[in-house]
Coordinates of all heavy atoms in Angstrom, one line a residue:
T1000 N 102.3 91.4 29.8 CA 102.2 92.4 30.9 C 101.9 91.7 32.2 O 101.1 90.8 32.3 CB 101.2 93.5 30.6 OG1 100.0 92.8 30.4 CG2 101.6 94.3 29.4
S1001 N 102.6 92.1 33.2 CA 102.4 91.6 34.6 C 101.2 92.3 35.3 O 101.0 93.5 35.0 CB 103.7 91.7 35.4 OG 103.4 91.4 36.7
M1002 N 100.5 91.6 36.2 CA 99.4 92.3 36.9 C 99.8 92.6 38.3 O 99.1 92.3 39.3 CB 98.2 91.4 36.9 CG 97.6 91.3 35.5 SD 96.2 90.2 35.4 CE 95.1 90.8 36.6
G1003 N 101.0 93.2 38.5 CA 101.4 93.6 39.8 C 102.1 92.7 40.7 O 102.6 93.0 41.8
T1004 N 102.2 91.4 40.3 CA 103.0 90.5 41.1 C 104.3 90.3 40.4 O 104.4 90.1 39.2 CB 102.3 89.1 41.3 OG1 101.9 88.6 40.0 CG2 101.1 89.2 42.2
T1005 N 105.4 90.3 41.2 CA 106.7 90.1 40.6 C 107.2 88.7 40.9 O 106.8 88.2 41.9 CB 107.7 91.2 41.1 OG1 107.7 91.1 42.5 CG2 107.3 92.6 40.7
S1006 N 107.9 88.2 40.0 CA 108.4 86.8 40.2 C 109.8 86.7 39.8 O 110.2 87.0 38.7 CB 107.5 85.9 39.3 OG 108.1 84.6 39.2
A1007 N 110.6 86.2 40.7 CA 112.0 85.8 40.4 C 111.8 84.3 40.0 O 111.2 83.6 40.8 CB 112.9 86.0 41.6
M1008 N 112.3 83.9 38.9 CA 112.3 82.6 38.5 C 111.4 81.6 39.3 O 111.8 81.0 40.2 CB 113.7 82.0 38.5 CG 114.0 80.9 37.5 SD 113.4 81.4 35.9 CE 113.1 79.8 35.2
G1009 N 110.1 81.5 38.9 CA 109.3 80.5 39.5 C 108.4 81.0 40.6 O 107.2 81.2 40.4
T1010 N 108.9 81.2 41.8 CA 108.0 81.4 42.9 C 107.5 82.8 43.1 O 108.3 83.8 42.9 CB 108.6 80.9 44.3 OG1 109.0 79.6 44.1 CG2 107.7 81.0 45.4
T1011 N 106.3 83.0 43.4 CA 105.7 84.3 43.5 C 105.0 84.3 44.9 O 104.6 83.3 45.4 CB 104.7 84.6 42.4 OG1 105.2 84.3 41.2 CG2 104.2 86.1 42.4
T1012 N 104.8 85.5 45.5 CA 104.1 85.5 46.8 C 102.8 86.4 46.7 O 102.8 87.3 45.8 CB 105.0 86.1 47.9 OG1 105.3 87.5 47.6 CG2 106.2 85.3 48.1
S1013 N 101.9 86.1 47.5 CA 100.7 86.8 47.6 C 100.2 86.8 49.0 O 100.3 85.8 49.7 CB 99.6 86.1 46.7 OG 98.4 86.7 46.8
M1014 N 99.7 88.0 49.5 CA 99.2 88.1 50.9 C 97.7 88.2 50.9 O 97.2 88.9 50.0 CB 99.8 89.3 51.6 CG 101.3 89.1 51.9 SD 102.1 90.5 52.5 CE 101.6 90.5 54.2
G1015 N 97.0 87.7 51.9 CA 95.6 87.8 52.0 C 95.1 87.1 53.2 O 95.8 86.6 54.0
T1016 N 93.8 86.9 53.2 CA 93.1 86.2 54.2 C 92.3 85.0 53.6 O 91.7 85.1 52.6 CB 92.1 87.1 54.9 OG1 92.7 88.3 55.3 CG2 91.4 86.4 56.1
I1017 N 92.5 83.8 54.3 CA 91.8 82.6 53.7 C 90.3 82.8 53.8 O 89.7 83.2 54.8 CB 92.2 81.4 54.5 CG1 93.7 81.1 54.3 CG2 91.4 80.2 54.2 CD1 94.3 79.9 54.9
S1018 N 89.7 82.5 52.6 CA 88.2 82.5 52.6 C 87.6 81.1 52.5 O 86.5 80.9 52.9 CB 87.7 83.4 51.5 OG 87.9 82.8 50.2
E1019 N 88.4 80.2 51.9 CA 88.0 78.8 51.9 C 89.3 77.9 51.9 O 90.3 78.3 51.2 CB 87.2 78.6 50.6 CG 86.5 77.3 50.6 CD 85.7 77.1 49.3 OE1 85.1 78.1 48.8 OE2 85.7 76.0 48.8
F1020 N 89.2 76.8 52.6 CA 90.4 75.9 52.6 C 89.9 74.5 52.6 O 89.0 74.1 53.2 CB 91.1 76.2 53.9 CG 92.4 75.3 54.1 CD1 93.5 75.7 53.4 CD2 92.4 74.2 54.9 CE1 94.7 74.9 53.5 CE2 93.5 73.5 55.0 CZ 94.6 73.8 54.3
G1021 N 90.6 73.7 51.7 CA 90.2 72.3 51.6 C 91.4 71.5 51.4 O 92.5 72.0 51.3
P1022 N 91.3 70.2 51.3 CA 92.5 69.3 51.2 C 93.3 69.6 49.9 O 94.5 69.4 49.9 CB 91.8 67.9 51.1 CG 90.4 68.0 51.4 CD 90.0 69.5 51.3
D1023 N 92.7 70.1 48.9 CA 93.4 70.3 47.6 C 93.3 71.7 47.1 O 93.6 72.0 46.0 CB 92.9 69.3 46.6 CG 91.4 69.4 46.3 OD1 90.8 70.2 47.0 OD2 90.9 68.8 45.4
R1024 N 92.7 72.6 47.9 CA 92.6 74.0 47.5 C 92.7 75.0 48.6 O 92.4 74.7 49.7 CB 91.2 74.2 46.8 CG 90.1 74.2 47.7 CD 88.7 74.3 47.0 NE 87.6 74.3 47.9 CZ 87.2 73.2 48.7 NH1 87.8 72.1 48.5 NH2 86.2 73.3 49.5
I1025 N 93.2 76.2 48.3 CA 93.2 77.3 49.2 C 92.7 78.5 48.4 O 93.2 78.8 47.3 CB 94.7 77.6 49.6 CG1 95.4 76.4 50.2 CG2 94.8 78.8 50.6 CD1 96.9 76.5 50.3
I1026 N 91.7 79.2 49.0 CA 91.2 80.4 48.3 C 91.4 81.5 49.3 O 91.0 81.4 50.4 CB 89.7 80.2 48.0 CG1 89.5 79.0 47.0 CG2 89.1 81.5 47.3 CD1 88.1 78.6 46.7
I1027 N 92.1 82.6 48.8 CA 92.3 83.7 49.7 C 91.7 85.0 49.1 O 91.6 85.1 47.9 CB 93.8 83.9 50.0 CG1 94.6 84.4 48.8 CG2 94.4 82.7 50.6 CD1 96.0 84.9 49.2
R1028 N 91.3 85.9 50.0 CA 91.0 87.2 49.6 C 92.2 88.1 49.7 O 92.7 88.2 50.8 CB 89.9 87.8 50.4 CG 88.5 87.2 50.1 CD 87.4 88.1 50.5 NE 86.2 87.6 49.9 CZ 85.8 87.9 48.6 NH1 86.5 88.6 47.8 NH2 84.7 87.5 48.1
S1029 N 92.8 88.6 48.6 CA 94.0 89.3 48.7 C 93.7 90.8 48.9 O 92.7 91.3 48.4 CB 94.7 89.1 47.3 OG 95.9 89.8 47.3
E1030 N 94.7 91.4 49.6 CA 94.6 92.8 49.8 C 94.7 93.5 48.4 O 95.7 93.2 47.7 CB 95.7 93.3 50.7 CG 95.4 92.9 52.2 CD 96.5 92.0 52.8 OE1 97.7 92.0 52.3 OE2 96.2 91.3 53.7
G1031 N 93.7 94.3 48.1 CA 93.8 95.0 46.8 C 93.3 94.3 45.6 O 93.3 94.8 44.5
A1032 N 92.8 93.0 45.7 CA 92.2 92.3 44.6 C 90.7 92.2 44.8 O 90.3 91.9 45.9 CB 92.9 90.9 44.5
A1033 N 90.0 92.4 43.7 CA 88.5 92.3 43.8 C 88.0 90.9 44.0 O 87.1 90.7 44.8 CB 87.9 92.9 42.5
D1034 N 88.6 90.0 43.3 CA 88.1 88.6 43.3 C 89.1 87.7 44.2 O 90.3 88.0 44.2 CB 88.1 88.0 41.9 CG 87.1 88.8 41.0 OD1 86.0 89.1 41.5 OD2 87.5 89.0 39.9
P1035 N 88.5 86.7 44.8 CA 89.3 85.8 45.6 C 90.3 85.1 44.6 O 90.0 84.9 43.5 CB 88.3 84.8 46.1 CG 87.0 85.4 46.0 CD 87.1 86.4 44.9
I1036 N 91.4 84.7 45.2 CA 92.5 84.0 44.4 C 92.5 82.5 44.8 O 92.5 82.2 46.0 CB 93.9 84.6 44.6 CG1 93.8 86.1 44.3 CG2 94.9 83.9 43.7 CD1 95.1 86.9 44.8
R1037 N 92.4 81.7 43.8 CA 92.4 80.2 44.1 C 93.7 79.6 43.8 O 94.3 79.8 42.7 CB 91.3 79.6 43.2 CG 91.2 78.1 43.2 CD 90.1 77.6 42.3 NE 88.8 78.0 42.7 CZ 88.0 77.3 43.4 NH1 88.4 76.1 43.8 NH2 86.8 77.7 43.7
Y1038 N 94.2 78.8 44.8 CA 95.4 78.0 44.6 C 95.1 76.6 44.8 O 94.2 76.2 45.6 CB 96.5 78.4 45.7 CG 96.8 79.9 45.7 CD1 96.1 80.7 46.5 CD2 97.8 80.4 44.8 CE1 96.4 82.1 46.5 CE2 98.1 81.7 44.8 CZ 97.4 82.6 45.7 OH 97.7 83.9 45.7
S1039 N 95.8 75.7 44.1 CA 95.7 74.3 44.5 C 96.8 74.0 45.4 O 97.9 74.6 45.4 CB 95.7 73.4 43.2 OG 96.9 73.7 42.5
S1040 N 96.6 73.0 46.3 CA 97.7 72.6 47.2 C 97.9 71.1 47.0 O 97.1 70.4 46.4 CB 97.3 72.9 48.7 OG 96.1 72.2 49.0
S1041 N 99.1 70.7 47.5 CA 99.4 69.3 47.2 C 100.1 68.7 48.5 O 100.2 69.4 49.5 CB 100.4 69.1 46.0 OG 101.6 69.8 46.4
K1042 N 100.5 67.5 48.4 CA 101.2 66.9 49.6 C 102.5 67.6 49.9 O 103.0 67.5 51.0 CB 101.5 65.4 49.3 CG 100.2 64.5 49.3 CD 100.6 63.1 49.0 CE 99.4 62.1 49.2 NZ 98.3 62.4 48.2
T1043 N 103.1 68.3 48.9 CA 104.3 69.0 49.2 C 104.1 70.4 49.7 O 105.1 71.1 50.0 CB 105.2 69.0 47.9 OG1 104.4 69.7 46.9 CG2 105.5 67.6 47.4
T1044 N 102.9 70.9 49.7 CA 102.7 72.2 50.3 C 103.0 72.2 51.8 O 102.5 71.4 52.5 CB 101.2 72.6 50.1 OG1 100.9 72.5 48.7 CG2 100.9 74.1 50.5
T1045 N 103.8 73.2 52.2 CA 104.2 73.3 53.6 C 103.5 74.5 54.3 O 103.2 75.5 53.7 CB 105.7 73.4 53.8 OG1 106.1 74.6 53.1 CG2 106.4 72.2 53.3
Y1046 N 103.1 74.3 55.6 CA 102.4 75.3 56.3 C 103.3 75.7 57.5 O 103.6 74.8 58.3 CB 101.1 74.8 56.8 CG 100.2 74.4 55.6 CD1 100.2 73.1 55.1 CD2 99.4 75.3 55.0 CE1 99.4 72.8 54.1 CE2 98.6 75.0 53.9 CZ 98.6 73.7 53.4 OH 97.8 73.4 52.4
V1047 N 103.7 76.9 57.6 CA 104.6 77.3 58.7 C 104.1 78.7 59.3 O 103.3 79.4 58.7 CB 106.1 77.5 58.2 CG1 106.7 76.2 57.7 CG2 106.1 78.6 57.1
D1048 N 104.6 79.0 60.5 CA 104.3 80.3 61.1 C 105.4 81.3 60.7 O 106.3 80.9 59.9 CB 104.2 80.2 62.6 CG 105.5 79.8 63.3 OD1 106.6 79.9 62.7 OD2 105.4 79.4 64.5
E1049 N 105.3 82.5 61.2 CA 106.2 83.5 60.7 C 107.6 83.3 61.1 O 108.5 83.9 60.5 CB 105.7 84.9 61.3 CG 104.4 85.3 60.7 CD 103.8 86.5 61.4 OE1 103.4 86.3 62.6 OE2 103.6 87.5 60.9
S1050 N 107.9 82.4 62.1 CA 109.3 82.1 62.4 C 109.8 80.9 61.7 O 110.9 80.4 61.9 CB 109.4 81.9 63.9 OG 108.6 80.8 64.4
G1051 N 108.9 80.3 60.8 CA 109.4 79.1 60.0 C 109.1 77.8 60.6 O 109.4 76.8 60.1
K1052 N 108.4 77.8 61.8 CA 108.1 76.5 62.4 C 106.8 75.9 61.8 O 105.9 76.6 61.5 CB 107.8 76.7 63.9 CG 109.0 77.1 64.7 CD 108.7 76.9 66.2 CE 109.9 77.3 67.0 NZ 109.9 78.7 67.5
A1053 N 106.8 74.6 61.6 CA 105.6 74.0 61.0 C 104.4 74.1 61.8 O 104.5 74.1 63.1 CB 105.9 72.5 60.8
V1054 N 103.3 74.4 61.2 CA 102.0 74.5 61.9 C 101.1 73.4 61.4 O 101.2 72.9 60.3 CB 101.3 75.9 61.8 CG1 102.2 77.0 62.3 CG2 101.0 76.1 60.3
S1055 N 100.1 73.0 62.2 CA 99.2 71.9 61.8 C 98.2 72.5 60.8 O 97.8 73.7 60.8 CB 98.4 71.4 63.0 OG 97.5 72.4 63.5
V1056 N 97.8 71.7 59.8 CA 96.9 72.1 58.8 C 95.6 72.6 59.4 O 94.9 73.4 58.9 CB 96.6 71.0 57.8 CG1 95.6 71.3 56.8 CG2 97.9 70.7 57.1
E1057 N 95.2 72.0 60.6 CA 94.0 72.4 61.3 C 94.0 73.9 61.7 O 92.9 74.5 61.9 CB 93.8 71.6 62.6 CG 93.4 70.1 62.3 CD 94.6 69.3 61.8 OE1 95.7 69.5 62.3 OE2 94.4 68.4 61.0
S1058 N 95.2 74.5 61.8 CA 95.2 75.9 62.2 C 95.0 76.8 61.0 O 94.9 78.0 61.1 CB 96.6 76.2 62.9 OG 97.6 76.1 61.9
V1059 N 95.0 76.2 59.8 CA 94.8 77.0 58.6 C 93.3 76.9 58.3 O 92.8 75.9 57.9 CB 95.6 76.4 57.4 CG1 95.4 77.2 56.2 CG2 97.0 76.3 57.8
K1060 N 92.6 78.0 58.5 CA 91.1 78.0 58.3 C 90.7 79.4 57.8 O 91.4 80.4 57.8 CB 90.4 77.6 59.5 CG 90.7 78.3 60.8 CD 90.1 77.6 62.0 CE 90.3 78.4 63.3 NZ 91.7 78.2 63.8
S1061 N 89.4 79.5 57.5 CA 88.8 80.7 57.0 C 89.1 81.9 58.0 O 88.9 81.7 59.2 CB 87.3 80.5 56.8 OG 86.8 81.7 56.3
G1062 N 89.5 83.0 57.5 CA 89.7 84.2 58.3 C 91.1 84.4 58.7 O 91.5 85.4 59.3
V1063 N 92.0 83.4 58.5 CA 93.4 83.5 59.0 C 94.2 84.2 57.9 O 94.1 83.9 56.7 CB 93.9 82.1 59.2 CG1 95.4 82.1 59.5 CG2 93.2 81.4 60.3
P1064 N 95.0 85.2 58.4 CA 95.9 85.9 57.4 C 97.1 85.1 57.0 O 97.7 84.4 57.9 CB 96.3 87.2 58.1 CG 96.2 86.8 59.6 CD 95.1 85.8 59.7
V1065 N 97.4 85.0 55.7 CA 98.4 84.2 55.2 C 99.3 84.9 54.1 O 98.8 85.8 53.5 CB 97.9 82.8 54.6 CG1 97.3 81.9 55.7 CG2 96.9 83.1 53.5
T1066 N 100.5 84.4 54.0 CA 101.3 84.7 52.8 C 101.5 83.4 52.0 O 101.9 82.4 52.6 CB 102.6 85.3 53.2 OG1 102.4 86.5 54.0 CG2 103.4 85.7 51.9
V1067 N 101.1 83.4 50.8 CA 101.2 82.2 50.0 C 102.4 82.3 49.0 O 102.4 83.3 48.2 CB 99.9 81.9 49.2 CG1 100.0 80.6 48.3 CG2 98.7 81.8 50.1
Y1068 N 103.3 81.4 49.0 CA 104.3 81.3 48.0 C 103.8 80.3 47.0 O 103.5 79.1 47.4 CB 105.6 80.8 48.6 CG 106.3 81.8 49.5 CD1 105.9 82.1 50.8 CD2 107.4 82.5 49.0 CE1 106.5 83.0 51.6 CE2 108.1 83.5 49.8 CZ 107.6 83.7 51.1 OH 108.2 84.6 51.9
Y1069 N 103.7 80.7 45.7 CA 103.1 79.8 44.8 C 103.9 79.7 43.5 O 104.7 80.7 43.2 CB 101.7 80.1 44.5 CG 101.5 81.5 43.9 CD1 101.4 81.6 42.5 CD2 101.3 82.6 44.7 CE1 101.2 82.9 42.0 CE2 101.1 83.8 44.2 CZ 101.1 84.0 42.8 OH 100.9 85.2 42.2
T1070 N 103.7 78.7 42.7 CA 104.3 78.6 41.4 C 103.1 78.5 40.4 O 102.2 77.8 40.6 CB 105.1 77.2 41.3 OG1 106.0 77.2 42.4 CG2 105.8 77.1 40.0
K1071 N 103.3 79.3 39.3 CA 102.3 79.3 38.2 C 102.5 78.0 37.4 O 103.6 77.8 36.9 CB 102.4 80.5 37.4 CG 101.0 81.1 37.0 CD 101.2 82.5 36.6 CE 100.0 83.1 35.8 NZ 98.7 82.6 36.2
T1072 N 101.5 77.3 37.1 CA 101.6 76.1 36.3 C 100.4 76.1 35.3 O 99.3 75.9 35.7 CB 101.5 74.8 37.1 OG1 100.3 74.8 37.8 CG2 102.7 74.6 38.0
G1073 N 100.7 76.4 34.0 CA 99.6 76.4 33.1 C 98.6 77.5 33.4 O 98.9 78.6 33.6
D1074 N 97.3 77.1 33.6 CA 96.3 78.0 34.0 C 96.1 78.2 35.5 O 95.4 79.0 35.9 CB 94.9 77.5 33.5 CG 94.9 77.5 31.9 OD1 95.7 78.2 31.3 OD2 94.0 76.7 31.4
G1075 N 96.8 77.3 36.3 CA 96.6 77.3 37.7 C 97.8 77.8 38.5 O 98.8 78.2 37.9
M1076 N 97.6 77.9 39.8 CA 98.7 78.3 40.7 C 98.7 77.3 41.8 O 97.7 77.0 42.4 CB 98.4 79.7 41.3 CG 98.4 80.8 40.2 SD 98.1 82.4 40.8 CE 96.4 82.4 41.2
V1077 N 99.9 76.8 42.0 CA 100.1 75.7 43.1 C 100.8 76.3 44.2 O 101.9 76.9 44.1 CB 100.9 74.5 42.5 CG1 101.1 73.5 43.6 CG2 100.2 73.9 41.3
A1078 N 100.2 76.2 45.4 CA 100.9 76.7 46.7 C 102.0 75.8 47.1 O 101.9 74.6 47.2 CB 99.8 76.8 47.8
D1079 N 103.2 76.4 47.2 CA 104.4 75.7 47.7 C 104.5 75.8 49.2 O 104.8 74.8 49.8 CB 105.7 76.3 47.0 CG 105.6 76.2 45.5 OD1 105.3 75.1 45.0 OD2 105.9 77.2 44.9
K1080 N 104.3 77.0 49.7 CA 104.5 77.2 51.1 C 103.4 78.3 51.5 O 103.2 79.3 50.8 CB 105.9 77.7 51.4 CG 106.1 78.0 52.9 CD 107.6 78.2 53.2 CE 108.1 79.5 52.8 NZ 109.5 79.8 53.3
V1081 N 102.8 78.0 52.7 CA 101.9 79.0 53.2 C 102.4 79.4 54.6 O 102.6 78.6 55.5 CB 100.5 78.3 53.4 CG1 99.5 79.3 54.0 CG2 100.0 77.9 52.0
I1082 N 102.6 80.7 54.8 CA 103.0 81.3 56.0 C 101.7 81.8 56.7 O 101.1 82.7 56.2 CB 104.0 82.4 55.9 CG1 105.3 81.9 55.3 CG2 104.3 83.0 57.3 CD1 106.4 82.9 55.0
V1083 N 101.4 81.2 57.9 CA 100.3 81.6 58.7 C 100.7 82.8 59.6 O 101.5 82.6 60.4 CB 99.8 80.4 59.5 CG1 98.6 80.8 60.4 CG2 99.4 79.2 58.6
R1084 N 100.1 84.0 59.3 CA 100.5 85.1 60.0 C 99.6 85.3 61.3 O 98.5 84.7 61.4 CB 100.3 86.4 59.2 CG 101.1 86.3 57.9 CD 101.4 87.5 57.2 NE 100.3 88.5 57.1 CZ 99.4 88.6 56.1 NH1 99.5 87.8 55.1 NH2 98.5 89.5 56.2
K1085 N 100.1 86.0 62.3 CA 99.4 86.2 63.5 C 98.2 87.1 63.2 O 98.3 88.0 62.5 CB 100.3 86.8 64.6 CG 101.3 85.9 65.1 CD 102.0 86.5 66.3 CE 103.0 85.6 66.9 NZ 104.0 85.1 65.9
V1086 N 97.0 86.7 63.8 CA 95.8 87.5 63.7 C 96.0 88.7 64.6 O 96.4 88.5 65.8 CB 94.6 86.7 64.1 CG1 93.3 87.6 64.0 CG2 94.4 85.5 63.2
T1087 N 95.9 89.9 64.1 CA 96.2 91.1 64.9 C 95.0 91.6 65.7 O 95.1 92.6 66.4 CB 96.7 92.2 64.0 OG1 95.8 92.4 62.9 CG2 98.1 91.9 63.5
T1088 N 93.8 91.0 65.5 CA 92.6 91.5 66.2 C 92.7 90.9 67.6 O 93.2 89.8 67.9 CB 91.3 91.0 65.6 OG1 91.4 89.6 65.5 CG2 91.1 91.7 64.2
T1089 N 92.3 91.7 68.6 CA 92.3 91.3 70.0 C 90.9 90.6 70.3 O 89.9 91.2 70.0 CB 92.5 92.4 71.0 OG1 91.6 93.4 70.7 CG2 93.9 93.0 70.8
Q1090 N 91.0 89.4 70.9 CA 89.8 88.7 71.2 C 89.5 88.8 72.7 O 90.5 88.8 73.5 CB 89.9 87.2 70.8 CG 90.0 87.0 69.3 CD 89.9 85.6 68.9 OE1 90.3 84.7 69.7 NE2 89.5 85.3 67.7
Q1091 N 88.3 89.0 73.0 CA 87.9 89.2 74.5 C 87.1 88.1 75.0 O 86.3 87.5 74.2 CB 87.2 90.5 74.6 CG 88.1 91.6 74.1 CD 87.5 93.0 74.5 OE1 86.3 93.2 74.7 NE2 88.4 94.0 74.7

């Protein structure tokens, strides 16, 4: 049984806000999920903005809304691509 995420052969997506980010891990709080979701990242993980342009890893940090494209491998989930979404809060 699936837990609400659909997957066409391989890649699945998940939306949320980054709660922790490191060289080999991305932890996001997903909309509608009680627990944070942990992904591993690798040298092949790409980080882009909503228009598909590459963004620096430095712009990926706690509190940033993202969409993670990931592949399930054994017990873990490996992030293939992370889309950094625009923060919709207005800063003054």
Side-chain angles (χ1 to χ4, degrees):
T1000 55
S1001 168
M1002 293 174 55
T1004 50
T1005 55
S1006 167
M1008 207 51 205
T1010 304
T1011 312
T1012 62
S1013 173
M1014 291 173 78
T1016 305
I1017 291 182
S1018 70
E1019 193 181 322
F1020 181 75
D1023 57 355
R1024 73 185 180 287
I1025 305 166
I1026 301 171
I1027 71 167
R1028 287 208 165 275
S1029 179
E1030 287 120 25
D1034 298 318
I1036 305 168
R1037 176 182 292 266
Y1038 304 94
S1039 55
S1040 58
S1041 67
K1042 289 182 172 63
T1043 59
T1044 304
T1045 56
Y1046 301 91
V1047 297
D1048 65 15
E1049 291 165 300
S1050 63
K1052 294 192 179 95
V1054 298
S1055 69
V1056 173
E1057 288 74 35
S1058 68
V1059 184
K1060 53 187 182 285
S1061 183
V1063 172
V1065 293
T1066 301
V1067 179
Y1068 288 77
Y1069 63 91
T1070 307
K1071 218 164 164 37
T1072 56
D1074 293 340
M1076 294 181 288
V1077 179
D1079 299 312
K1080 180 166 76 171
V1081 178
I1082 297 176
V1083 178
R1084 304 198 321 264
K1085 287 185 179 58
V1086 180
T1087 51
T1088 57
T1089 53
Q1090 296 189 332
Q1091 302 191 331

